[in-house]
Coordinates of all heavy atoms in Angstrom, one line a residue:
M1 N 17.6 -2.5 -22.4 CA 18.8 -3.1 -21.8 C 18.2 -3.8 -20.6 O 17.3 -3.3 -19.9 CB 19.7 -2.0 -21.3 CG 20.9 -2.4 -20.6 SD 22.0 -1.0 -20.3 CE 23.4 -1.8 -19.8
N2 N 18.8 -4.9 -20.2 CA 18.4 -5.7 -19.1 C 19.4 -5.6 -18.0 O 20.6 -5.3 -18.2 CB 18.2 -7.2 -19.4 CG 17.1 -7.4 -20.4 OD1 16.2 -6.7 -20.4 ND2 17.2 -8.4 -21.3
L3 N 19.0 -5.8 -16.8 CA 19.8 -5.7 -15.6 C 21.1 -6.6 -15.7 O 22.2 -6.2 -15.3 CB 19.1 -6.0 -14.3 CG 19.8 -5.8 -13.0 CD1 20.2 -4.4 -12.8 CD2 18.9 -6.3 -11.8
C4 N 20.9 -7.8 -16.3 CA 22.0 -8.8 -16.4 C 23.1 -8.3 -17.3 O 24.3 -8.8 -17.3 CB 21.5 -10.2 -16.8 SG 20.8 -10.2 -18.5
E5 N 22.9 -7.3 -18.1 CA 23.9 -6.7 -19.1 C 24.8 -5.6 -18.5 O 25.8 -5.3 -19.2 CB 23.1 -6.2 -20.3 CG 22.3 -7.2 -21.1 CD 21.5 -6.5 -22.2 OE1 21.9 -5.4 -22.7 OE2 20.4 -7.0 -22.5
L6 N 24.5 -5.3 -17.3 CA 25.4 -4.2 -16.7 C 26.8 -4.7 -16.5 O 27.0 -5.9 -16.2 CB 24.8 -3.8 -15.3 CG 24.0 -2.5 -15.4 CD1 22.7 -2.6 -16.1 CD2 23.8 -2.0 -13.9
K7 N 27.7 -3.8 -16.7 CA 29.1 -4.2 -16.4 C 29.5 -3.6 -15.0 O 28.8 -2.7 -14.5 CB 30.0 -3.5 -17.5 CG 29.8 -4.2 -18.8 CD 30.6 -3.5 -20.0 CE 30.4 -4.1 -21.3 NZ 29.1 -4.7 -21.6
K8 N 30.6 -4.0 -14.5 CA 31.0 -3.5 -13.2 C 31.2 -2.1 -13.2 O 31.8 -1.5 -14.1 CB 32.3 -4.2 -12.8 CG 32.8 -3.9 -11.4 CD 34.0 -4.7 -11.0 CE 34.3 -4.3 -9.6 NZ 35.6 -5.1 -9.3
G9 N 30.5 -1.3 -12.2 CA 30.6 0.1 -12.1 C 29.4 0.9 -12.8 O 29.3 2.0 -12.6
Q10 N 28.8 0.2 -13.7 CA 27.6 0.9 -14.3 C 26.4 1.0 -13.4 O 26.2 0.2 -12.6 CB 27.1 0.0 -15.5 CG 27.9 0.3 -16.8 CD 27.2 -0.4 -18.0 OE1 27.0 -1.6 -17.9 NE2 26.8 0.4 -19.1
K11 N 25.7 2.1 -13.5 CA 24.5 2.4 -12.8 C 23.4 2.4 -13.7 O 23.5 2.8 -14.9 CB 24.6 3.7 -12.0 CG 25.6 3.7 -10.9 CD 25.6 5.0 -10.2 CE 26.6 5.0 -9.0 NZ 26.5 6.3 -8.3
C12 N 22.2 2.1 -13.2 CA 21.0 2.2 -14.0 C 19.8 2.5 -13.1 O 19.9 2.4 -11.9 CB 20.7 0.8 -14.8 SG 20.4 -0.6 -13.6
I13 N 18.6 2.7 -13.7 CA 17.3 2.9 -13.1 C 16.4 1.8 -13.5 O 16.3 1.5 -14.7 CB 16.8 4.3 -13.4 CG1 17.7 5.4 -12.9 CG2 15.4 4.4 -12.8 CD1 17.2 6.7 -13.2
I14 N 15.9 1.1 -12.5 CA 14.9 0.0 -12.9 C 13.6 0.7 -13.6 O 13.1 1.6 -13.2 CB 14.3 -0.6 -11.6 CG1 15.5 -1.1 -10.8 CG2 13.3 -1.8 -11.9 CD1 16.3 -2.3 -11.6
Y15 N 13.3 0.1 -14.8 CA 12.2 0.6 -15.6 C 11.0 -0.3 -15.6 O 9.9 0.1 -15.3 CB 12.8 0.8 -17.0 CG 11.8 1.3 -18.0 CD1 11.2 2.5 -17.8 CD2 11.4 0.5 -19.1 CE1 10.2 3.0 -18.7 CE2 10.5 0.9 -20.0 CZ 9.9 2.2 -19.8 OH 9.0 2.6 -20.7
E16 N 11.2 -1.6 -15.8 CA 10.1 -2.6 -15.8 C 10.6 -3.8 -15.2 O 11.2 -4.7 -15.9 CB 9.7 -2.8 -17.3 CG 8.9 -1.7 -17.9 CD 8.4 -2.0 -19.3 OE1 8.6 -3.1 -19.8 OE2 7.8 -1.1 -19.9
P17 N 10.3 -4.1 -14.0 CA 10.7 -5.3 -13.4 C 9.7 -6.4 -13.6 O 8.6 -6.4 -13.1 CB 10.8 -5.1 -11.9 CG 9.9 -3.9 -11.7 CD 9.9 -3.1 -12.9
Q18 N 9.9 -7.2 -14.7 CA 9.0 -8.3 -15.1 C 9.7 -9.6 -14.9 O 10.6 -9.9 -15.7 CB 8.6 -8.1 -16.5 CG 7.9 -6.7 -16.7 CD 7.5 -6.6 -18.2 OE1 7.9 -7.4 -19.1 NE2 6.7 -5.6 -18.5
A19 N 9.3 -10.3 -14.0 CA 9.9 -11.7 -13.7 C 8.8 -12.6 -13.4 O 7.6 -12.2 -13.1 CB 10.8 -11.6 -12.6
P20 N 9.1 -13.9 -13.4 CA 8.0 -14.9 -13.1 C 7.6 -14.6 -11.6 O 8.3 -14.1 -10.8 CB 8.8 -16.2 -13.2 CG 9.9 -16.0 -14.1 CD 10.3 -14.6 -14.0
E21 N 6.4 -14.9 -11.3 CA 5.7 -14.6 -10.1 C 6.5 -15.0 -8.9 O 6.6 -14.4 -7.9 CB 4.3 -15.2 -10.0 CG 3.5 -14.9 -8.7 CD 3.2 -13.4 -8.7 OE1 3.0 -12.8 -9.8 OE2 3.3 -12.9 -7.6
N22 N 7.1 -16.3 -8.9 CA 7.9 -16.8 -7.7 C 9.1 -15.9 -7.5 O 9.6 -15.8 -6.4 CB 8.3 -18.3 -7.9 CG 9.1 -18.5 -9.2 OD1 9.1 -17.8 -10.2 ND2 9.8 -19.6 -9.1
I23 N 9.7 -15.3 -8.5 CA 10.9 -14.5 -8.4 C 10.5 -13.0 -8.2 O 11.2 -12.3 -7.5 CB 11.8 -14.6 -9.7 CG1 12.3 -16.1 -9.9 CG2 13.0 -13.7 -9.6 CD1 13.0 -16.4 -11.1
N24 N 9.5 -12.6 -8.8 CA 9.0 -11.2 -8.8 C 8.8 -10.8 -7.3 O 9.2 -9.7 -7.0 CB 7.7 -11.0 -9.6 CG 7.4 -9.6 -9.9 OD1 8.4 -8.8 -10.0 ND2 6.2 -9.1 -9.7
R25 N 8.2 -11.5 -6.5 CA 7.9 -11.2 -5.1 C 9.3 -11.0 -4.4 O 9.4 -10.0 -3.6 CB 7.1 -12.3 -4.4 CG 6.8 -12.0 -2.9 CD 5.9 -10.7 -2.9 NE 5.7 -10.5 -1.5 CZ 5.1 -9.3 -1.1 NH1 4.8 -8.5 -1.9 NH2 4.9 -9.1 0.2
R26 N 10.2 -11.9 -4.6 CA 11.5 -11.7 -3.9 C 12.2 -10.4 -4.4 O 12.9 -9.7 -3.6 CB 12.4 -12.9 -4.3 CG 13.8 -12.8 -3.7 CD 14.6 -14.1 -3.9 NE 16.0 -13.9 -3.5 CZ 17.0 -13.8 -4.4 NH1 16.8 -13.8 -5.6 NH2 18.2 -13.6 -4.0
L27 N 12.2 -10.1 -5.6 CA 12.7 -8.9 -6.2 C 12.1 -7.7 -5.6 O 12.9 -6.7 -5.2 CB 12.7 -8.9 -7.7 CG 13.5 -10.0 -8.4 CD1 13.2 -9.9 -9.9 CD2 14.9 -10.0 -8.1
M28 N 10.8 -7.7 -5.4 CA 10.2 -6.6 -4.8 C 10.6 -6.4 -3.3 O 10.7 -5.3 -2.8 CB 8.7 -6.7 -5.0 CG 8.2 -6.5 -6.3 SD 6.4 -6.8 -6.6 CE 5.7 -5.8 -5.3
D29 N 10.7 -7.5 -2.6 CA 11.1 -7.5 -1.2 C 12.6 -6.9 -1.1 O 12.8 -6.3 0.0 CB 11.1 -8.9 -0.7 CG 9.7 -9.4 -0.5 OD1 8.8 -8.6 -0.5 OD2 9.5 -10.6 -0.2
I30 N 13.4 -7.1 -2.0 CA 14.8 -6.6 -1.8 C 14.9 -5.2 -2.4 O 15.9 -4.5 -2.4 CB 15.9 -7.5 -2.5 CG1 15.7 -7.6 -3.9 CG2 15.9 -8.8 -1.7 CD1 16.8 -8.5 -4.6
G31 N 13.8 -4.6 -2.9 CA 13.8 -3.2 -3.4 C 13.9 -2.9 -4.8 O 14.0 -1.8 -5.2
L32 N 13.8 -3.9 -5.7 CA 13.8 -3.8 -7.1 C 12.4 -3.4 -7.6 O 11.7 -4.3 -8.1 CB 14.3 -5.1 -7.7 CG 15.8 -5.2 -7.8 CD1 16.2 -6.6 -8.4 CD2 16.4 -4.1 -8.6
V33 N 12.1 -2.1 -7.5 CA 10.9 -1.6 -8.0 C 11.2 -0.5 -9.0 O 12.3 0.0 -9.0 CB 10.0 -1.1 -6.8 CG1 9.5 -2.3 -6.0 CG2 10.6 -0.1 -6.0
D34 N 10.1 0.0 -9.6 CA 10.3 1.1 -10.6 C 11.1 2.3 -10.0 O 10.9 2.6 -8.9 CB 8.9 1.6 -11.2 CG 8.4 0.6 -12.2 OD1 9.1 -0.2 -12.7 OD2 7.2 0.7 -12.4
N35 N 12.0 2.9 -10.8 CA 12.7 4.1 -10.5 C 13.7 3.8 -9.3 O 14.2 4.9 -8.7 CB 11.8 5.2 -10.1 CG 10.9 5.6 -11.2 OD1 11.3 5.7 -12.4 ND2 9.6 5.8 -11.0
T36 N 14.2 2.7 -9.1 CA 15.3 2.4 -8.1 C 16.6 2.5 -8.9 O 16.7 1.8 -9.9 CB 15.1 1.0 -7.5 OG1 13.8 0.9 -6.9 CG2 16.2 0.7 -6.5
V37 N 17.6 3.1 -8.3 CA 18.9 3.2 -8.8 C 19.7 2.0 -8.3 O 19.6 1.6 -7.1 CB 19.7 4.5 -8.4 CG1 21.1 4.5 -8.9 CG2 18.9 5.7 -8.8
V38 N 20.3 1.2 -9.3 CA 21.0 0.1 -9.1 C 22.4 0.2 -9.6 O 22.6 0.8 -10.8 CB 20.4 -1.1 -9.7 CG1 21.1 -2.4 -9.5 CG2 19.0 -1.3 -9.1
E39 N 23.5 -0.3 -8.9 CA 24.8 -0.3 -9.5 C 25.4 -1.7 -9.4 O 25.3 -2.4 -8.4 CB 25.8 0.6 -8.6 CG 27.1 0.7 -9.1 CD 28.0 1.5 -8.3 OE1 27.6 2.2 -7.3 OE2 29.3 1.6 -8.6
C40 N 26.0 -2.1 -10.5 CA 26.7 -3.4 -10.5 C 28.1 -3.2 -9.8 O 28.9 -2.4 -10.3 CB 27.0 -3.8 -12.0 SG 27.8 -5.5 -12.1
V41 N 28.3 -3.9 -8.8 CA 29.5 -3.6 -8.0 C 30.5 -4.8 -8.0 O 31.7 -4.6 -7.8 CB 29.2 -3.4 -6.4 CG1 28.4 -2.1 -6.3 CG2 28.4 -4.5 -5.8
E42 N 30.0 -6.0 -8.5 CA 31.0 -7.1 -8.5 C 30.4 -8.1 -9.6 O 29.2 -8.3 -9.6 CB 31.3 -7.7 -7.2 CG 32.5 -8.6 -7.2 CD 33.7 -7.9 -7.4 OE1 34.0 -6.8 -6.8 OE2 34.6 -8.3 -8.3
I43 N 31.3 -8.8 -10.2 CA 30.9 -9.9 -11.1 C 31.8 -11.1 -10.8 O 33.0 -11.0 -10.6 CB 31.1 -9.5 -12.6 CG1 30.3 -8.3 -12.9 CG2 30.8 -10.7 -13.5 CD1 30.7 -7.7 -14.3
S44 N 31.1 -12.3 -10.7 CA 31.9 -13.5 -10.3 C 32.8 -13.9 -11.4 O 32.7 -13.4 -12.6 CB 30.9 -14.6 -10.0 OG 30.3 -15.0 -11.1
P45 N 33.9 -14.6 -11.2 CA 34.8 -15.0 -12.2 C 34.2 -15.6 -13.4 O 34.8 -15.4 -14.6 CB 35.7 -16.0 -11.4 CG 35.6 -15.6 -10.1 CD 34.2 -15.2 -9.8
F46 N 33.1 -16.3 -13.3 CA 32.5 -16.9 -14.6 C 31.4 -16.0 -15.0 O 30.6 -16.5 -16.0 CB 32.0 -18.3 -14.2 CG 33.2 -19.3 -13.9 CD1 33.4 -19.8 -12.6 CD2 34.0 -19.7 -14.9 CE1 34.4 -20.6 -12.3 CE2 35.1 -20.5 -14.6 CZ 35.3 -21.0 -13.3
G47 N 31.1 -14.9 -14.4 CA 30.2 -14.0 -15.0 C 28.8 -14.1 -14.4 O 27.9 -13.3 -14.7
D48 N 28.5 -15.1 -13.6 CA 27.2 -15.4 -13.0 C 27.4 -16.0 -11.7 O 27.9 -17.0 -11.5 CB 26.4 -16.3 -13.9 CG 24.9 -16.3 -13.4 OD1 24.4 -15.4 -13.0 OD2 24.3 -17.4 -13.7
P49 N 26.9 -15.3 -10.6 CA 26.0 -14.2 -10.4 C 26.8 -12.8 -10.5 O 28.0 -12.9 -10.4 CB 25.4 -14.4 -9.1 CG 26.4 -15.2 -8.3 CD 27.1 -16.1 -9.3
K50 N 26.1 -11.8 -10.4 CA 26.6 -10.5 -10.3 C 26.0 -9.9 -9.1 O 25.0 -10.2 -8.6 CB 26.1 -9.6 -11.5 CG 26.7 -10.0 -12.8 CD 26.3 -9.0 -13.9 CE 27.0 -9.5 -15.2 NZ 26.6 -8.5 -16.4
A51 N 26.9 -9.0 -8.4 CA 26.4 -8.3 -7.2 C 26.0 -6.9 -7.5 O 26.7 -6.2 -8.2 CB 27.6 -8.3 -6.2
F52 N 24.8 -6.5 -7.0 CA 24.3 -5.2 -7.2 C 24.1 -4.4 -6.0 O 23.6 -5.0 -5.0 CB 22.9 -5.3 -8.0 CG 23.1 -6.0 -9.4 CD1 22.8 -7.4 -9.5 CD2 23.4 -5.3 -10.5 CE1 22.9 -8.0 -10.6 CE2 23.5 -5.9 -11.7 CZ 23.2 -7.3 -11.8
L53 N 24.4 -3.1 -6.0 CA 24.1 -2.3 -4.9 C 22.6 -1.7 -5.0 O 22.4 -1.1 -6.0 CB 25.1 -1.2 -4.8 CG 25.0 -0.1 -3.6 CD1 25.1 -0.9 -2.3 CD2 25.9 1.0 -3.7
I54 N 21.8 -2.1 -4.1 CA 20.3 -1.8 -4.2 C 20.0 -1.2 -2.9 O 19.9 -1.9 -1.9 CB 19.4 -3.0 -4.6 CG1 19.9 -3.7 -5.8 CG2 18.0 -2.6 -4.7 CD1 19.4 -5.1 -6.0
R55 N 19.6 0.1 -2.9 CA 19.2 0.9 -1.7 C 20.1 0.5 -0.5 O 19.6 0.3 0.6 CB 17.7 0.4 -1.4 CG 16.8 0.8 -2.5 CD 15.3 0.4 -2.1 NE 14.5 0.7 -3.3 CZ 13.5 1.6 -3.1 NH1 13.3 2.3 -2.1 NH2 12.8 1.8 -4.2
G56 N 21.4 0.6 -0.7 CA 22.3 0.4 0.3 C 22.7 -1.0 0.8 O 23.6 -1.1 1.6
A57 N 22.2 -1.9 0.1 CA 22.6 -3.3 0.3 C 23.1 -3.9 -0.9 O 22.6 -3.7 -2.0 CB 21.2 -4.1 0.8
V58 N 24.0 -4.8 -0.8 CA 24.6 -5.5 -1.8 C 23.9 -6.9 -2.0 O 23.9 -7.7 -1.1 CB 26.2 -5.7 -1.7 CG1 26.7 -6.6 -2.8 CG2 26.8 -4.4 -1.6
I59 N 23.4 -7.1 -3.1 CA 22.6 -8.3 -3.4 C 23.1 -9.0 -4.6 O 23.3 -8.4 -5.7 CB 21.0 -7.9 -3.7 CG1 20.4 -7.1 -2.6 CG2 20.2 -9.2 -4.0 CD1 20.3 -7.8 -1.2
A60 N 23.2 -10.3 -4.6 CA 23.7 -11.2 -5.7 C 22.6 -11.7 -6.4 O 21.6 -12.2 -5.8 CB 24.7 -12.2 -5.3
L61 N 22.6 -11.6 -7.7 CA 21.5 -12.0 -8.6 C 22.1 -12.8 -9.7 O 23.0 -12.5 -10.3 CB 20.6 -10.9 -9.1 CG 19.9 -10.1 -8.2 CD1 19.1 -9.0 -8.9 CD2 18.7 -10.9 -7.4
R62 N 21.4 -14.0 -10.0 CA 21.8 -14.9 -11.1 C 21.2 -14.3 -12.4 O 20.3 -13.5 -12.4 CB 21.4 -16.2 -11.0 CG 22.1 -16.9 -9.7 CD 22.1 -18.4 -9.8 NE 22.9 -19.0 -8.9 CZ 24.2 -19.1 -8.8 NH1 24.9 -18.7 -9.9 NH2 24.8 -19.7 -7.8
K63 N 21.7 -14.6 -13.5 CA 21.3 -14.1 -14.8 C 19.8 -14.4 -15.0 O 19.1 -13.6 -15.5 CB 22.1 -14.8 -15.9 CG 21.8 -14.2 -17.3 CD 22.7 -14.7 -18.4 CE 22.2 -14.1 -19.7 NZ 23.1 -14.6 -20.8
D64 N 19.4 -15.7 -14.7 CA 18.0 -16.0 -14.8 C 17.0 -15.1 -14.0 O 15.8 -15.0 -14.3 CB 17.7 -17.4 -14.6 CG 17.9 -17.9 -13.2 OD1 18.7 -17.3 -12.5 OD2 17.4 -18.9 -12.8
E65 N 17.5 -14.6 -13.0 CA 16.7 -13.6 -12.1 C 16.7 -12.2 -12.6 O 15.7 -11.5 -12.5 CB 17.2 -13.6 -10.7 CG 17.1 -15.0 -10.0 CD 17.8 -15.0 -8.7 OE1 18.9 -14.4 -8.5 OE2 17.4 -15.7 -7.8
S66 N 17.8 -11.8 -13.2 CA 18.0 -10.4 -13.7 C 17.8 -10.1 -15.1 O 17.6 -9.0 -15.6 CB 19.4 -9.9 -13.2 OG 20.4 -10.7 -13.9
Q67 N 17.6 -11.2 -16.0 CA 17.4 -11.0 -17.4 C 16.0 -10.4 -17.7 O 15.9 -9.8 -18.8 CB 17.7 -12.3 -18.2 CG 16.7 -13.3 -17.9 CD 17.1 -14.7 -18.6 OE1 18.1 -14.7 -19.3 NE2 16.3 -15.7 -18.4
N68 N 15.1 -10.5 -16.9 CA 13.7 -10.0 -17.2 C 13.5 -8.6 -16.6 O 12.3 -8.1 -16.7 CB 12.6 -10.9 -16.7 CG 12.8 -12.3 -17.3 OD1 12.9 -12.4 -18.5 ND2 12.7 -13.4 -16.6
I69 N 14.5 -8.1 -16.1 CA 14.3 -6.6 -15.5 C 14.9 -5.6 -16.4 O 16.1 -5.5 -16.7 CB 15.1 -6.6 -14.2 CG1 14.5 -7.6 -13.2 CG2 14.9 -5.2 -13.6 CD1 15.3 -7.8 -11.9
T70 N 14.0 -4.8 -17.0 CA 14.4 -3.8 -18.0 C 14.9 -2.6 -17.2 O 14.3 -2.1 -16.3 CB 13.2 -3.4 -19.0 OG1 12.8 -4.6 -19.6 CG2 13.6 -2.4 -20.0
V71 N 15.9 -2.0 -17.7 CA 16.6 -0.9 -17.0 C 17.0 0.2 -18.0 O 17.0 -0.1 -19.3 CB 17.9 -1.2 -16.3 CG1 17.4 -2.2 -15.1 CG2 18.9 -1.8 -17.1
K72 N 17.1 1.4 -17.5 CA 17.7 2.5 -18.3 C 19.0 2.9 -17.7 O 19.2 3.0 -16.5 CB 16.7 3.8 -18.2 CG 15.4 3.7 -18.8 CD 14.6 4.9 -18.7 CE 13.2 4.8 -19.1 NZ 12.4 6.0 -18.9
E73 N 20.0 3.0 -18.5 CA 21.3 3.3 -18.1 C 21.3 4.7 -17.5 O 20.8 5.7 -18.0 CB 22.3 3.3 -19.2 CG 23.8 3.4 -18.6 CD 24.8 3.2 -19.8 OE1 24.4 2.8 -20.9 OE2 26.0 3.3 -19.5
L74 N 21.9 4.9 -16.4 CA 22.1 6.1 -15.6 C 23.4 6.7 -16.0 O 24.5 6.2 -15.7 CB 22.0 5.9 -14.1 CG 22.0 7.2 -13.2 CD1 20.8 8.0 -13.6 CD2 22.0 6.8 -11.8
I75 N 23.4 7.9 -16.6 CA 24.7 8.5 -17.1 C 24.9 9.7 -16.1 O 24.2 10.5 -15.9 CB 24.5 9.0 -18.5 CG1 24.3 7.9 -19.5 CG2 25.8 9.8 -18.9 CD1 23.9 8.3 -20.8
V76 N 26.2 9.5 -15.4 CA 26.6 10.5 -14.4 C 27.7 11.3 -14.9 O 28.5 10.9 -15.7 CB 26.8 9.8 -13.1 CG1 25.5 9.4 -12.4 CG2 27.8 8.6 -13.2

């Protein structure tokens, strides 16, 4: 499952953040590293971008940024 597939309210754990080098550094800077819990908190009306709660901050990511991030669904 990829991060871009999350629906509003779903939580996941980052498993393999693999993105192009120019995007990968930015994702690491905002806290998207292995074993980070992420929650999809909002989806724009057209579905892109989506807002994610990452380590206490809400970050909007477009599909092209989040489609290469493999996640495991967190079941609570």
Side-chain angles (χ1 to χ4, degrees):
M1 177 177 196
N2 294 328
L3 187 61
C4 67
E5 298 173 29
L6 259 70
K7 294 175 179 31
K8 187 175 179 179
Q10 270 187 310
K11 291 184 180 182
C12 67
I13 297 176
I14 302 297
Y15 179 62
E16 290 181 1
Q18 297 177 352
E21 187 62 36
N22 60 337
I23 297 173
N24 194 40
R25 181 66 181 165
R26 177 176 172 250
L27 297 177
M28 287 175 50
D29 287 345
I30 62 174
L32 278 174
V33 294
D34 285 341
N35 298 316
T36 301
V37 176
V38 177
E39 179 182 359
C40 181
V41 293
E42 198 62 52
I43 301 172
S44 70
F46 294 108
D48 191 33
K50 293 183 178 183
F52 300 96
L53 181 63
I54 306 166
R55 298 179 184 247
V58 177
I59 306 292
L61 295 173
R62 296 202 175 276
K63 185 176 181 178
D64 64 333
E65 297 168 327
S66 60
Q67 68 185 356
N68 297 316
I69 301 170
T70 305
V71 299
K72 293 180 185 177
E73 188 174 357
L74 185 65
I75 300 171
V76 287

